[in-house]
Amino acid sequence: MQAITLPTFGDEDVLTLAEVPAPAPREGEVLVDVAAAGVNRADLMQRQGFYPPPKGESELPGLEVSGTISRIGDGVEGWSVGDRVCALLAGGGYAEQVAVPVGQLLPVPEGVDLVDAAALPEVTSTVWSNVFLTANLQPEEVFLVHGGSSGIGTMAIQLAHAVGARVAVTAGTQEKLDACAKLGADILINYKEQDFVDEIRSATDGSGANVILDVMGAKYLGRNVDALATSGRLVIIGMQGGTKGELDIGTLLTKRAAVIATSLRARPRPEKATIVAAVREHVWPLIEAGRVRPIVHARMPLAQAADAHRLLQGSSHIGKVLLTL
C-alpha cells in the first residue's frame, strides 16, 4: 500500500510517499480502508523528531482517519465489513489502510460526509476528555480556549456552547475571531492587540475563567493562572510556547485552583476506549442533531502531505486540514 513515511526527521519535505507493507488486524482490531486522515500538530512534532509513537504502534504519522472496514480481526463483535467508521489512532493514519483497535472506532455520524468525518476523532476525544471529563466544565461557567480557530478550538467552542457555558477565545486575526463567534464564542480576544487576562477579568466582573484549555504551555502559564477564577481549572495540552515556566504557588493557593497537564496519544488502549465511548455517548448525538459539526479548512491529496504540514505550521487555517485518498 502507499503511505507517507519518515526516512529521516526534519522539515516538511522529509515526508515521503512510498510503498510499505499493508497492516493486518490483530485480535481485537479491524482493518480500515482509509478515505481521509486528519493532520494534527502532533504529526508536525513527530516529523521533527520530537514526538515518537508509543512502543509497539505504527511508525507512520497520522492520529485519526475515516474510512470503511475491510477486514475483521479475531474477537471483534459489533462491527462488520463495509461499516463506515472514523477512528482515533496512536499512529499510522497517513496510509491507504490502517489497523484500528475496536475500542477506538466510531461510526460516521448521520449527516456527516465520510471524508469530513476524519476531522472528528482527535478533536472530540481531546476536548471531551480534557474539558469535560477532567476539568468538569459546567453550564454557565466561563470557558477560555486559546487558539479558538484551530481544529481543537473550533470543536471546543461548539461543545462548550452546546452545554451552556460562556465561551471566550483568543485568536490573532479578526477573520478568525469572526469564525469563532459564528460557532458560539461570546468573548473575543485578539491576543496580538489585547491582554487576555485583562479582557477575561473585564468580561466577568473580575471573576475570571472557570476552565482554560491551553496549547501554549510555558509562555502562558503565569498569565493563565492570573486569568483563572476561584476554584478554576487550567488544562494544558500543548507546548507551542515552551516547556518550562514559572508558577506562582501563592496565587494558585489563594484561588484554590488546579493546573493539569494531559496527553492523549500515549494513553493505554483501555483509557482511550473509555474516552471514545464517552464521545460516542455525549458528542455524537450533538453532531447528529446538527448542533456540532466538523470544521474543515482544506482537503488535500495524501501526496501533498508536505503542503498540508506547511499550511498547519503557518496557522492561517480555520478548523481542520485533511489528507484524502
Side-chain angles (χ1 to χ4, degrees), residues 17 37 43 76 78 108-109 134 177-178 182 207 230 280 303 312 319:
L17 186 65
D43 303 331
V76 172
V108 172
T134 297
L177 291 173
D178 290 344
K182 290 178 181 179
S207 297
T230 299
R280 184 171 183 176
L312 206 69

Side-chain angles (χ1 to χ4, degrees), residues 3-7 9 14-16 37-40 42-47 51 53 58-65 89-95 97-98 265 302 305 309 323:
I4 294 295
T5 62
L6 289 170
F9 299 124
V14 303
L15 296 167
T16 302
V39 180
N40 292 281
D43 303 331
L44 276 61
M45 292 174 62
Q46 180 176 343
R47 189 202 75 228
Y51 196 21
S58 174
E59 297 288 335
L60 302 176
L63 301 182
E64 61 188 338
V65 296
L89 309 172
Y94 289 15
Q97 293 183 310
V98 64
R265 185 182 195 182
L302 183 65
H309 276 221
L323 295 173

Side-chain angles (χ1 to χ4, degrees), residues 7-77:
T8 186
F9 299 124
D11 64 17
E12 295 86 358
D13 291 328
V14 303
L15 296 167
T16 302
L17 186 65
E19 287 288 331
V20 301
R26 296 174 289 188
E27 184 174 0
E29 296 181 342
V30 303
L31 189 67
V32 173
D33 290 344
V34 176
V39 180
N40 292 281
R41 288 200 175 270
D43 303 331
L44 276 61
M45 292 174 62
Q46 180 176 343
R47 189 202 75 228
Q48 294 165 334
F50 300 135
Y51 196 21
K55 185 177 180 179
E57 301 290 354
S58 174
E59 297 288 335
L60 302 176
L63 301 182
E64 61 188 338
V65 296
S66 61
T68 306
I69 295 177
S70 59
R71 186 175 165 189
I72 301 289
D74 293 340
V76 172
E77 298 179 354

Side-chain angles (χ1 to χ4, degrees), residues 193-218:
E193 301 174 356
Q194 300 167 293
D195 183 278
F196 72 82
V197 179
D198 292 341
E199 295 300 320
I200 285 293
R201 286 174 175 168
S202 176
T204 60
D205 296 323
S207 297
N210 302 101
V211 175
I212 299 176
L213 185 65
D214 175 60
V215 296
M216 294 303 295

Side-chain angles (χ1 to χ4, degrees), residues 128-267:
W128 194 261
S129 63
N130 287 291
V131 177
F132 298 95
L133 296 181
T134 297
N136 195 29
L137 180 68
Q138 296 296 305
E140 300 185 6
E141 286 192 321
V142 176
F143 169 61
L144 167 62
V145 55
H146 290 296
S149 61
S150 67
I152 286 175
T154 53
M155 181 54 63
I157 293 167
Q158 293 181 83
L159 288 177
H161 178 73
V163 303
R166 188 180 179 199
V167 182
V169 299
T170 63
T173 68
Q174 190 60 49
E175 178 189 11
K176 290 181 176 181
L177 291 173
D178 290 344
C180 292
K182 290 178 181 179
L183 295 174
D186 307 288
I187 304 167
L188 308 175
I189 304 166
N190 186 325
Y191 68 83
K192 294 181 179 179
E193 301 174 356
Q194 300 167 293
D195 183 278
F196 72 82
V197 179
D198 292 341
E199 295 300 320
I200 285 293
R201 286 174 175 168
S202 176
T204 60
D205 296 323
S207 297
N210 302 101
V211 175
I212 299 176
L213 185 65
D214 175 60
V215 296
M216 294 303 295
K219 183 178 180 180
Y220 278 10
L221 179 58
R223 294 166 68 203
N224 275 329
V225 172
D226 288 342
L228 282 175
T230 299
S231 299
R233 292 85 74 194
L234 165 62
V235 185
I236 302 171
I237 60 170
M239 303 175 292
Q240 294 179 38
T243 61
K244 295 182 180 180
E246 187 170 302
L247 180 62
D248 187 334
I249 302 300
T251 301
L252 202 64
L253 286 170
T254 299
K255 294 188 174 188
R256 302 188 300 279
V259 177
I260 307 157
T262 75
S263 65
L264 182 60
R265 185 182 195 182
R267 289 181 188 239

